[in-house]
Amino acid sequence: QLVESGGGLVQPGGSLTLSCVASGFTFNTFYMSWVRQAPGKGPEWISTINPVGNGARYAEPVGRFKISRNNANNTLYLQMNNLRPDDTALYYCAKGTATKTSLPRRSDWGQGTQVTVSS
């Protein structure tokens, strides 16, 4: 099970940190990913981190987002800075690796947390 939290309403240029608590599987042996879905659009890969937490990949090279994990408490994080209105979406954590063209199966996602960027 994956349970996200930390979403909310934030002004453009603001920051948020999302959390995802995992249970029911051996967290520290899995790649973990963040995926988002904006209204009317398909799901979009954001980032993936390796099981140890010392390697990550990002869809966006600019560096506004940072993925991290704490294997001691089975938690995945996504720190988001300089948020823009087009970052508005439902944000999901997912078990497994991902790329721009391949996402984990839907059954391995959490329920999502809403992020709204608006003034």
Side-chain angles (χ1 to χ4, degrees):
Q1 184 181 11
L2 299 169
V3 179
E4 302 93 335
S5 62
L9 174 63
V10 61
Q11 292 186 341
S15 299
L16 278 176
T17 298
L18 308 182
S19 300
C20 170
V21 177
S23 62
F25 63 98
T26 308
F27 181 73
N28 63 6
T29 66
F30 280 87
Y31 282 78
M32 294 294 297
S33 300
W34 285 98
V35 176
R36 69 184 182 184
Q37 187 162 16
K41 296 187 177 181
E44 175 188 22
W45 170 61
I46 300 170
S47 182
T48 295
I49 189 167
N50 67 10
V52 178
N54 61 358
R57 295 181 289 108
Y58 297 89
E60 180 183 290
V62 176
R64 296 187 301 125
F65 295 169
K66 181 179 179 182
I67 191 172
S68 62
R69 64 193 297 163
N70 185 331
N71 287 342
N73 61 17
N74 288 357
T75 303
L76 179 73
Y77 301 98
L78 183 68
Q79 181 179 345
M80 306 185 294
N81 299 313
N82 194 22
L83 285 162
R84 307 184 301 233
D86 62 357
D87 292 316
T88 295
L90 196 56
Y91 283 70
Y92 301 90
C93 68
K95 185 175 71 173
T97 191
T99 67
K100 287 185 177 181
T101 57
S102 178
L103 299 176
R105 56 187 181 184
R106 186 61 181 87
S107 58
D108 285 335
W109 301 13
Q111 85 290 347
T113 186
Q114 179 66 41
V115 172
T116 302
V117 185
S118 175
S119 55

